Structure formats: C-alpha cells, structure tokens
C-alpha cells in the first residue's frame, strides 16, 4: 500500500543503505530480539527469521518456524525454499514472465514453469541486507536494489524491514521507494510454520492444525502452474477451499476429497493459493492458525488485501530440521509438514487490470510504499 509516512523520511533512511552494518550478531551468527513470551532470531541473508520461540499450553518455549541450525547453509541451499525471508521486489508469480508499464512490455526471468516467481533467482531473499538499527526488542534491515539487478525490474529501489516483538506479538514493517522510475513493487514476509515444532509423535503433518480465514470466502482460481486465471471464486461451506464458514476448520478437512488432489496445480495436492480479505475491520485478525496438540494459536493482522497459503507439498524430505525441533522419528521437512503464510497483494495483479490492483502494485517514481503485519501468539 501507499505509505502515510513522509517521503522525506524514506529518502533519509535510504542514505544509509550503502553503509556496512555497525551491528554485530551474537556468537551463533544470529541477531536476537525478545520480549515477554516471545524471542526472535534473524540473519542478514534475506533479512531472514531463523527462529521464533513462543509459549505452548504447558508454558514451554517452542520454535514454531522452519529454518537451519547452520546459517552458512542458507546462501548455498540449492532448494532455496525462502524460509522466512523477504523475496522482493515483486513477490509470487508474474504470468508468462511479462508485464507492462505505460504500454511498454518488460520481460522477467522465467524460473517457475512459464512464469516468474519472486522476481527471479536474484531476488531479495538471495541478498545480504544491512543491519541499520538494533535494540533489545527490534531490528531493522535495509537493502539497495539497482535497476535490472533482477531481470526486468527497472529503477533503483531502496527498502527496509523492521522486525519488533512485544508481549507475545511479532510485528513486521516494510518500507520502500523507487525514486526515479515506475516499477513493480509488492512485498511479503514468507513465513513457514509448524506450530508443533515437529514434536507431535502422531504425525509431523500440519493437517491437524486449524485454519480460520473469517473474511475470506473468495479466492483466486489457479491454472496448473499455480498462476491465477483471472477468475475470482467463492468457496461453498465445507468445500476444499473453505476456511471461512467456521472458526475451527481443520487445515486437512478435505484431504480425502477428490478436489484436494491437484488443488494447487501441477500435481500439487493441497494449497498454494490466494485468499481475499473482504470487509475486514481495521486491526481485525484476518487469519488464525492453531494447533490443538501444542495449544499454540497464531493470529495475523495486516494492511494487505489478501494472503497466500502454501501447504509445503513440494518439500521432499531432504531438508533437515533444526535442533530445536523434531523427535527421534521426525528429523526432516516432509511434504505437507508445514504451512507458508504470506500476506500480500493479489498474485499477478499487474497483469489483471480487471481486479483494480495495478496502481497498488506499480510504484514510483518517488512514491513511498509500506507493508505492515503482525502475528500475535497465545494459547487455546
């Protein structure tokens, strides 16, 4: 969305982007912030969250996000699942790797079937960010993104993300500016959850979690490549994509239904789609993810118009869990054992003027962009 923050403040912040960070991580290579009931750890690669500890129903600390113990593996991981990173400058898919600005066609990197995913393989989740502020409960990362450093992403962009924690809540504020040119600009925090930390002896799958999207009966129809077709559908109560009609819908309520297979396209069973928030009150919880086993509940609040939900179908069991997670039998990230939740604007909205999102997804020159979300953790 367009920021209400004064443009001059964003420009002043951009001045420090080229400077080396004056803030050093801890002995484990991570930056740690904490507050009552919550502790978060980060690395400068991708401005990534590596660990997020919250309290379960027994009052124990549980690390509820995916990642690696070995932080040096993030930059060399060939799978690059974008664990809890910022994949800018335009997240999700660009259909057929093209878009237009003022009747000029731009071509982007083809890296997902016939499409572009997360701006290609040099997006911001592959970059090292600078740490420009650090306190006991907050950290700010900045990045300077030259024009065309990701193919077809024209114009210099300066961006920052500030993470903060307070009383069981993790807040994320992103700001960006393209001072000289119009450019696609749509951001998200690409967060992967397993609220049981893979410790549930019965199963490592997330289908026993519950998901509630109280303002999201509508969702975007997908083709076989997980690209929106342009149609906006409405989920009937009890259908595969219904998470609105009740407050405690099992995430895996449709696993045995025929429509669950290939629901996310390309042989993907489960979810990798976009749900629209309709008429959500300001500051309302628009998504609740919960686990009856751990008792952890996570509530999302955001200024974005919708959310991408991906049920980790393509995880092949080769990625290791962190030492803070798992059991003797649960040691790796298997298919459908996590859920990525990404608040953002409409997927490929720059190519669908009928949705009325083009002006929100093309920024500049000189316009300030902002994105804000929070996760509040409690117990059932």
């Amino acid at each position: 969305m367009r920021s209400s923050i004064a443009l001059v403040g964003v420009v002043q912040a951009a001045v420090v982007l080229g400077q080396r960070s004056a803030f050093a991580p801890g002995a484990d290579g991570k930056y740690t912030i904490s507050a009552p009931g919550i502790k978060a750890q980060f690395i400068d690669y991708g401005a990534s969250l590596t660990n997020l500890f919250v309290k379960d129903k027994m009052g124990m600390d549980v690390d509820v996000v995916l990642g690696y113990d070995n932080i040096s593996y993030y930059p060399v991981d060939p799978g690059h699942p974008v664990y809890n990173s910022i994949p800018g400058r335009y997240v999700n898919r660009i259909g057929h790797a093209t878009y237009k600005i003022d009747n000029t066609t731009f071509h982007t990197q083809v890296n997902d079937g016939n499409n572009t995913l997360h701006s290609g393989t040099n997006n911001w989740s592959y970059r090292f960010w600078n740490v420009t502020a650090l306190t006991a409960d907050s950290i700010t990362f900045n990045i300077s993104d030259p024009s065309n450093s990701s193919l077809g992403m024209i114009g210099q962009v300066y961006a920052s993300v500030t993470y903060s924690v307070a009383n069981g809540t993790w807040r994320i504020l992103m700001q960006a500016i393209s001072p000289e040119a119009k450019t696609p600009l749509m951001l998200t925090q690409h967060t992967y959850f397993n609220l049981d930390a893979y410790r549930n002896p019965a199963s490592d799958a997330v289908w026993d979690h519950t998901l509630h999207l109280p303002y999201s009966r509508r969702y975007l129809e997908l083709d076989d490549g997980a690209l929106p077709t342009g149609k906006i559908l409405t989920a009937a109560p009890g259908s595969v994509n219904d998470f609105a009609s009740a407050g405690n819908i099992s995430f895996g309520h449709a696993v045995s239904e025929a429509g669950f297979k290939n629901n996310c396209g390309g042989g993907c069973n489960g979810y990798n789609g976009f749900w629209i928030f309709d008429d959500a009150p300001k500051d309302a919880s628009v998504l609740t993810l919960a686990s009856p086993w751990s008792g952890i509940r996570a509530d999302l609040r955001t200024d974005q118009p919708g959310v991408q939900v991906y049920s980790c179908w393509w995880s092949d069991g080769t990625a290791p869990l962190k030492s803070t997670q798992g059991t003797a039998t649960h040691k790796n990230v298997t298919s459908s054992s996590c859920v990525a939740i990404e608040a953002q604007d409409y997927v490929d909205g720059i190519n669908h003027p009928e949705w009325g999102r083009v002006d929100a997804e093309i920024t500049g020159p000189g316009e300030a962009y902002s994105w804000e979300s929070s996760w509040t953790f409690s117990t059932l």
Side-chain angles (χ1 to χ4, degrees), residues 211-218 235-239 241-249 253 275-276:
L211 181 67
H212 188 208
L213 292 161
Y215 305 101
S216 299
R217 294 189 181 277
R218 296 194 304 153
S239 62
N241 291 304
D242 171 39
F243 293 101
S245 64
N248 59 348
I249 298 175
H253 73 280
W275 280 259
I276 298 165

Side-chain angles (χ1 to χ4, degrees), residues 162-187:
T162 296
Y163 299 118
S164 61
V165 290
N167 298 318
T169 296
W170 172 40
R171 291 186 173 86
I172 310 113
L173 171 64
M174 288 186 274
Q175 302 172 6
I177 186 170
S178 175
E180 300 172 352
K182 290 185 179 180
T183 192
L185 190 52
M186 183 171 80
L187 301 178

Side-chain angles (χ1 to χ4, degrees), residues 25 27 32 45 58 76 82 88 115 131 140 150 168 214 226 251 281 286-287 297 314 323 329 363 366 377:
T32 300
Y45 184 73
M58 304 301 292
V76 299
V82 198
N115 308 311
V131 178
T140 298
S150 291
F251 191 34
V286 292
L287 180 151
R297 168 179 170 147
W314 300 110
S323 58
T329 54
T363 298
F377 297 89

